[in-house]
Amino acid sequence: MIYLQLFLSFLQIGAFSFGGGYAAMPLIQDQVVNLHGWLTATEFTDLITISQMTPGPIAVNSATFVGLKIAGLGGAVTATLGCILPSCILVTLLAWLYMKYRKMAMLQGVLGMLRPAVVAMIATAGVTVLISAFFFNGAVDLQASNISVRSILYFLAAFLLLRKTKMSPVKVMVLCGIFEVVYYFITLLI
């Protein structure tokens, strides 16, 4: 039964997550955190982080991670297949249709109207990840005990390094990881 739930959940994610991985994050969160409770909000944030650090699409990495956590290797395979099946079918169909009707003005208009919706989905995903990173309880609550000052400082430092020095994102991630390890060992000594 869990295999069927995993397959159907990620089949929905694969079928309705237009615009790539960031656009899929609200759908993934709704399925794995809100609907099924397979992950907590904190675990979901960790999932996004792990999905970013590993090669491959976010949705596929998420499906594999969640499937493995919930039902082992069989769950990982089932969730991943559910996630990629709609894309395989849809891309084949769309490629055929696009090649046949690519000069049609209405098709170009529809593609133009999808762009703002995709941007909104990506922005929603980004704000969701920021909120869960900056606030311990995963909700905007401006009490000092709920704000992760260290996360905000890491964010600002990473943002400045990426924008002002054009440092590689991989180097910025490694640097933040090193600072966190140093912080951890300093807190052990104190």
Side-chain angles (χ1 to χ4, degrees):
M1 186 64 174
I2 190 68
Y3 291 117
L4 183 62
Q5 285 180 332
L6 282 166
F7 182 81
L8 292 176
S9 291
F10 281 97
L11 185 73
Q12 290 175 23
I13 291 166
F16 297 110
S17 58
F18 300 104
Y22 293 111
M25 281 196 274
L27 298 171
I28 296 169
Q29 182 179 21
D30 186 54
Q31 286 288 324
V32 303
V33 177
N34 302 339
L35 187 61
H36 295 291
W38 290 329
L39 299 178
T40 65
T42 304
E43 288 174 324
F44 178 74
T45 304
D46 294 341
L47 165 71
I48 299 305
T49 304
I50 291 168
S51 294
Q52 286 295 305
M53 292 172 29
T54 56
I58 293 171
V60 174
N61 289 346
S62 299
T64 306
F65 179 84
V66 171
L68 189 64
K69 182 179 186 297
I70 301 305
L73 186 58
V77 170
T78 303
T80 303
L81 285 175
C83 188
I84 65 171
L85 182 63
S87 297
C88 293
I89 294 169
L90 189 62
V91 166
T92 303
L93 178 64
L94 286 176
W96 178 78
L97 287 172
Y98 183 76
M99 295 307 286
K100 187 172 182 178
Y101 300 108
R102 68 178 161 220
K103 297 191 192 292
M104 185 183 243
M106 186 177 82
L107 177 64
Q108 294 304 319
V110 168
L111 292 175
M113 293 301 110
L114 285 175
R115 288 184 194 107
V118 170
V119 170
M121 292 176 77
I122 292 169
T124 300
V127 169
T128 300
V129 170
L130 275 177
I131 288 171
S132 64
F134 290 173
F135 300 98
F136 291 118
N137 69 2
V140 178
D141 183 7
L142 298 178
Q143 295 179 8
S145 62
N146 187 40
I147 298 173
S148 175
V149 175
R150 197 167 74 247
S151 294
I152 293 170
L153 291 174
Y154 283 148
F155 171 79
L156 291 173
F159 184 79
L160 289 173
L161 286 172
L162 290 168
R163 298 299 294 173
K164 298 295 183 189
T165 68
K166 306 291 185 198
M167 186 182 284
S168 161
V170 173
K171 289 180 182 176
V172 172
M173 287 175 63
V174 168
L175 194 59
C176 286
I178 289 170
F179 277 116
E180 184 60 22
V181 168
V182 169
Y183 175 81
Y184 175 77
F185 283 120
I186 288 173
T187 57
L188 283 178
L189 296 174
I190 294 177

mmCIF file of all heavy atoms in Angstrom, residues 6 66 99 122 124:
data_model
loop_
_atom_site.group_PDB
_atom_site.id
_atom_site.type_symbol
_atom_site.label_atom_id
_atom_site.label_comp_id
_atom_site.label_asym_id
_atom_site.label_seq_id
_atom_site.Cartn_x
_atom_site.Cartn_y
_atom_site.Cartn_z
ATOM 1 N N LEU A 6 3.256 6.180 -2.529
ATOM 2 C CA LEU A 6 4.449 6.871 -3.021
ATOM 3 C C LEU A 6 4.352 7.111 -4.525
ATOM 4 O O LEU A 6 4.616 8.212 -5.013
ATOM 5 C CB LEU A 6 5.712 6.062 -2.706
ATOM 6 C CG LEU A 6 6.223 6.128 -1.279
ATOM 7 C CD1 LEU A 6 7.251 5.036 -1.026
ATOM 8 C CD2 LEU A 6 6.827 7.490 -0.992
ATOM 9 N N VAL A 66 12.685 10.573 -0.425
ATOM 10 C CA VAL A 66 11.473 10.281 0.353
ATOM 11 C C VAL A 66 11.141 8.796 0.259
ATOM 12 O O VAL A 66 10.823 8.144 1.261
ATOM 13 C CB VAL A 66 10.284 11.144 -0.114
ATOM 14 C CG1 VAL A 66 8.985 10.694 0.527
ATOM 15 C CG2 VAL A 66 10.550 12.612 0.202
ATOM 16 N N MET A 99 6.566 20.332 -32.776
ATOM 17 C CA MET A 99 7.154 20.240 -34.125
ATOM 18 C C MET A 99 6.079 20.426 -35.203
ATOM 19 O O MET A 99 6.342 21.015 -36.249
ATOM 20 C CB MET A 99 7.873 18.910 -34.303
ATOM 21 C CG MET A 99 9.082 18.743 -33.413
ATOM 22 S SD MET A 99 10.278 20.082 -33.528
ATOM 23 C CE MET A 99 11.013 19.727 -35.098
ATOM 24 N N ILE A 122 8.235 29.539 -8.546
ATOM 25 C CA ILE A 122 9.625 29.549 -8.079
ATOM 26 C C ILE A 122 9.779 30.497 -6.896
ATOM 27 O O ILE A 122 10.440 30.174 -5.902
ATOM 28 C CB ILE A 122 10.584 29.918 -9.232
ATOM 29 C CG1 ILE A 122 10.606 28.804 -10.279
ATOM 30 C CG2 ILE A 122 11.988 30.204 -8.716
ATOM 31 C CD1 ILE A 122 11.313 29.177 -11.562
ATOM 32 N N THR A 124 7.471 31.378 -4.746
ATOM 33 C CA THR A 124 6.816 30.754 -3.593
ATOM 34 C C THR A 124 7.730 29.729 -2.941
ATOM 35 O O THR A 124 7.854 29.679 -1.711
ATOM 36 C CB THR A 124 5.499 30.078 -4.026
ATOM 37 O OG1 THR A 124 4.647 31.079 -4.579
ATOM 38 C CG2 THR A 124 4.816 29.390 -2.867
#
